[in-house]
């Protein structure tokens, strides 16, 4: 139970009451970590969370010897092939270790100098995410409906996809446009992606589909990172009705405001780790943690999101400039999908606390979707979620790209750039709910928030979809 004064009360029968007082020395009890092997599954999960917070606090304060001891204990309990909490702990522990190593540039560079990042593997794992989770499918259904409604009666339609990595959304849109009572428009799609081969594959799929449906169609490729995008290369023409789509991309632009003032990965002060620890250690299971986190008064990551971002009260030069440039193109609609969580806090403890809840929910989704021995599951967890966690926890300055923010922050940014929110229609919500129902899993939910949609796992918000138009 959580008491009114914010302290925690644990029954005397629970071994968790002793966690904060246990020595981190590897030699207590006669046998190194022998007692860890005797922990039950639920206690092990809670103790892993305790160790992660302890280790993060030591890292934040530069106590590397103590951090090393806590990480050593985690290594005896965590496993990328274990249960949900063991898997999560593996990637957060790896991220904390990576953060420590980054303070020694020579060692870090030497250890990473021969690592190869295979582009085809990155593409494959993102396709797996699209396939195994409903989040992006729901987002694409909502986005397509918003575009169709905005383009009603238009004869020349131009769609700019700021993250053209998947053709299925636009293939579905082609099919919807072919069924318009007034006939399909002339459609031009401009895809932006840093890998030319990805754009070529999308162009092939969509051109084939357009020919089959007898729709006049062009696909324009722009090979570029979003941060380096030249707006002129989008080739927006007079007389076209423009729609813009952005899927989990805009948050990366927030990193550029930090570039001149890079900080050491060490040296952040602990703010809320103790409160989070108290809240977590009073939950019986990871599922309880996710369900009860939103009702905990002692510490709720979602409740402090508005104040913990470094950009809460100041503008982002790069983001503002980019959104104003898009506003200058006069789009009829812009649909934005983003992770709905605050991973852009100023301190390590803020980011670790919030991201622990967020990724626990995503790992939980996979627990209900794929077997623990599944190679596909391991790839998604390691190559996608693991890399995002590492970026959030280990990186600072311009290297920290995964700066996810809550929907209310995006409302502030778009409003400041001259956009007005377009409430999503009842029909788009209906389509989204039907799609989620087809997954035969009660954990997936959607809710309406200020005319936008938030996609959840149980009560935990994970992704938001919002639509915007130019305010003249």
């Amino acid at each position: 139970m959580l008491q009114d004064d914010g302290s925690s009360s644990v029954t005397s029968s629970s071994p968790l009451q002793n966690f904060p007082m246990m020595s981190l020395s590897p030699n207590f009890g006669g046998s190194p970590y022998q007692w860890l092997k005797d922990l039950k599954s639920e206690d092990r999960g809670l103790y892993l969370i305790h160790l992660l917070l302890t280790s993060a606090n030591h890292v934040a304060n530069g106590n590397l010897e103590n951090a090393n001891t806590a990480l050593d204990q985690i290594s005896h309990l965590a496993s990328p092939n274990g249960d949900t909490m063991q898997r999560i702990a593996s990637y957060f522990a790896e991220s904390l270790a990576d953060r420590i190593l980054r303070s020694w540039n020579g060692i870090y560079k030497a250890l990473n100098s021969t690592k190869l990042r295979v582009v085809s593997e990155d593409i494959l794992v993102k396709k797996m995410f699209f396939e195994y989770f409903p989040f992006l499918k729901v987002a694409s259904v909502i986005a397509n409906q918003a575009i169709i409604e905005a383009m009603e009666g238009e004869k020349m339609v131009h769609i700019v996809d700021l993250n053209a990595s998947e053709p299925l959304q636009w293939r579905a849109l082609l099919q919807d446009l072919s069924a318009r009572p007034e006939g399909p428009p002339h459609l031009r799609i401009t895809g932006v992606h840093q890998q030319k081969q990805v754009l070529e594959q999308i162009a092939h799929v969509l051109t084939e589909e357009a020919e089959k449906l007898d729709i006049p169609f062009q696909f324009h490729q722009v090979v570029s990172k979003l941060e380096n995008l030249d707006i002129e290369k989008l080739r927006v023409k007079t007389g076209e009705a423009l729609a813009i789509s952005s899927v989990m991309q805009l948050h990366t632009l927030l990193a550029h405001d930090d570039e001149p003032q890079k900080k050491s990965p060490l040296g952040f002060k602990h703010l809320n780790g103790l409160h989070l620890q108290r809240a977590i250690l009073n939950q019986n299971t990871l599922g309880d943690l996710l369900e009860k986190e939103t009702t905990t008064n002692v510490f709720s990551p979602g409740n402090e999101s508005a104040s913990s971002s470094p950009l809460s009260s100041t503008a982002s030069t790069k983001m503002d400039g980019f959104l104003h440039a898009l506003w200058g193109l006069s789009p009829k609609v812009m649909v934005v999908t983003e992770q709905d969580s605050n991973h852009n806090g100023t301190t390590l403890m803020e980011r670790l606390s919030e991201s622990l809840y967020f990724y626990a929910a995503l790992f939980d989704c996979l627990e209900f979707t794929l077997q623990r021995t599944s190679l596909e599951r391991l790839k998604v967890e390691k190559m996608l979620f693991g890399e995002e966690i590492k970026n959030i926890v280990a990186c600072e300055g311009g290297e920290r790209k995964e700066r996810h923010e809550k929907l209310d922050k995006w409302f502030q940014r778009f409003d400041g750039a001259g956009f007005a929110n377009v409430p999503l229609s009842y029909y788009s919500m209906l389509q989204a709910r039907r799609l989620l129902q087809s997954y035969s899993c009660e954990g997936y939910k959607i809710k309406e928030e200020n005319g936008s949609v938030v996609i959840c796992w149980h009560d935990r918000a994970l992704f938001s979809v919002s639509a915007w138009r130019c305010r003249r």
Side-chain angles (χ1 to χ4, degrees):
M1 295 290 293
L2 293 173
Q3 300 175 354
D4 292 338
D5 62 358
S7 62
S8 59
S9 170
V10 184
T11 61
S12 59
S13 61
S14 172
L16 300 179
Q17 65 178 334
N18 297 319
F19 283 176
M21 291 153 322
M22 285 176 178
S23 168
L24 290 178
S25 169
N27 293 315
F28 64 83
S31 176
Y33 307 133
Q34 179 58 46
W35 67 276
L36 293 175
K37 299 176 182 178
D38 299 330
L39 287 176
K40 296 178 181 179
S41 176
E42 291 179 5
D43 291 343
R44 180 183 63 215
L46 294 175
Y47 191 49
L48 276 169
I49 296 172
H50 167 74
L51 285 172
L52 284 172
L53 294 170
T54 300
S55 177
N57 192 32
H58 288 315
V59 172
N61 287 290
N63 301 324
L64 301 190
E65 185 174 346
N66 288 339
N68 176 64
T69 303
L71 288 171
D72 190 24
Q73 286 200 29
I74 290 172
S75 72
H76 286 75
L77 291 174
S79 167
N81 300 304
D83 62 29
T84 302
M85 195 60 238
Q86 287 178 302
R87 298 167 95 103
I88 294 168
S90 296
Y91 294 109
F92 274 91
E94 180 184 20
S95 300
L96 288 169
D98 191 81
R99 184 182 179 94
I100 293 171
L101 284 175
R102 284 170 183 265
S103 61
W104 287 286
N105 288 334
I107 295 174
Y108 181 79
K109 289 176 182 177
L111 285 173
N112 290 274
S113 62
T114 59
K115 285 188 177 179
L116 292 176
R117 191 76 178 166
V118 182
V119 174
S120 59
E121 284 288 303
D122 287 343
I123 295 170
L124 178 61
V125 78
K126 287 175 181 175
K127 286 184 180 294
M128 288 178 183
F129 178 75
F130 187 90
E131 179 181 350
Y132 295 127
F133 291 92
F135 305 117
L136 294 188
K137 292 176 184 175
V138 169
S140 66
V141 164
I142 294 171
N144 282 359
Q145 185 59 34
I147 291 171
I148 288 170
E149 291 169 5
M151 298 301 165
E152 186 176 356
E154 296 289 351
K155 299 188 184 311
M156 300 282 289
V157 174
H158 183 186
I159 298 173
V160 172
D161 185 351
L162 296 177
N163 181 33
S165 57
E166 179 55 60
L168 294 182
Q169 175 180 354
W170 306 128
R171 187 161 68 176
L173 182 68
L174 282 166
Q175 294 166 358
D176 291 339
L177 291 175
S178 71
R180 284 203 320 182
E182 67 270 34
H186 182 287
L187 178 64
R188 186 158 68 99
I189 295 179
T190 295
V192 180
H193 198 278
Q194 63 190 77
Q195 300 295 336
K196 185 174 177 61
Q197 67 189 84
V198 173
L199 294 173
E200 289 173 344
Q201 290 171 2
I202 294 175
H204 175 73
V205 171
L206 297 183
T207 301
E208 228 176 40
E209 187 69 21
E211 288 175 356
K212 191 194 312 180
L213 297 170
D214 196 25
I215 295 178
F217 176 75
Q218 292 176 292
F219 188 85
H220 173 49
Q221 303 178 28
V222 178
V223 181
S224 173
K225 291 183 178 181
L226 188 66
E227 62 213 55
N228 301 325
L229 179 63
D230 180 357
I231 295 294
E232 294 296 322
K233 290 186 177 180
L234 301 179
R235 299 181 188 173
V236 177
K237 301 175 183 176
T238 304
E240 291 179 330
L242 178 65
I244 300 174
S245 170
S246 175
V247 179
M248 300 190 299
Q249 285 296 294
L250 290 181
H251 64 263
T252 62
L253 298 178
L254 298 172
H256 290 266
D257 295 295
D258 245 7
E259 283 187 332
Q261 45 190 4
K262 283 190 179 181
K263 301 173 184 177
S264 166
L266 304 179
F268 287 95
K269 295 298 181 183
H270 172 183
L271 290 183
N272 291 304
L274 179 59
H275 284 165
L276 178 65
Q277 175 185 317
R278 285 174 175 169
I280 288 177
L281 291 179
N282 282 276
Q283 311 307 327
N284 293 323
T285 66
L286 184 60
D288 288 341
L289 182 151
L290 292 172
E291 290 177 10
K292 295 179 182 178
E293 172 266 324
T294 53
T295 61
T296 300
N297 293 323
V298 173
F299 181 87
S300 175
N303 290 340
E304 69 162 25
S305 295
S307 62
S308 59
S309 167
L311 299 177
S312 293
S313 58
T314 58
S316 164
T317 305
K318 180 75 172 181
M319 178 68 73
D320 289 350
F322 186 75
L323 292 181
H324 276 99
L326 295 182
W327 180 88
L329 298 177
S330 301
K332 290 197 72 175
V333 68
M334 178 172 178
V335 189
V336 178
T337 301
E338 280 289 337
Q339 291 91 336
D340 193 53
S341 192
N342 179 37
H343 300 152
N344 198 19
T346 56
T347 70
L348 169 62
M349 293 305 296
E350 285 176 309
R351 300 203 302 272
L352 184 136
S353 301
E354 183 78 16
S355 58
L356 188 57
Y357 283 111
F358 180 84
Y359 286 99
L362 287 176
F363 275 68
D364 222 18
C365 294
L366 276 176
E367 181 76 8
F368 282 85
T369 305
L370 295 171
Q371 296 292 325
R372 290 180 182 176
T373 55
S374 165
L375 181 60
E376 290 80 8
R377 175 176 176 176
L378 186 62
K379 284 185 175 181
V380 170
E381 289 175 341
K382 180 175 179 58
M383 299 176 63
L384 186 60
F385 299 158
E387 289 302 309
E388 289 180 359
I389 291 168
K390 189 179 295 182
N391 190 265
I392 293 166
V393 172
C395 297
E396 293 296 340
E399 292 180 342
R400 182 161 62 84
K401 303 290 187 183
E402 302 299 337
R403 295 173 178 251
H404 314 143
E405 293 194 328
K406 299 286 286 184
L407 181 60
D408 59 351
K409 193 60 62 66
W410 292 109
F411 264 77
Q412 294 174 27
R413 296 190 188 285
F414 275 89
D415 181 68
F419 286 89
N421 180 246
V422 178
L424 297 170
S425 68
Y426 170 80
Y427 185 61
S428 67
M429 295 280 286
L430 184 63
Q431 286 181 302
R433 286 198 169 93
R434 284 175 178 169
L435 178 56
L436 283 183
Q437 288 169 359
S438 71
Y439 273 76
S440 65
C441 180
E442 295 180 0
Y444 293 115
K445 299 177 182 178
I446 64 169
K447 62 180 180 180
E448 186 272 339
E449 189 173 311
N450 295 325
S452 304
V453 166
V454 177
I455 313 169
C456 308
W457 174 249
H458 294 289
D459 294 325
R460 182 67 185 179
L462 294 177
F463 297 90
S464 67
V465 187
S466 57
W468 306 89
R469 61 173 175 79
C470 289
R471 187 177 64 242
R472 296 294 181 182

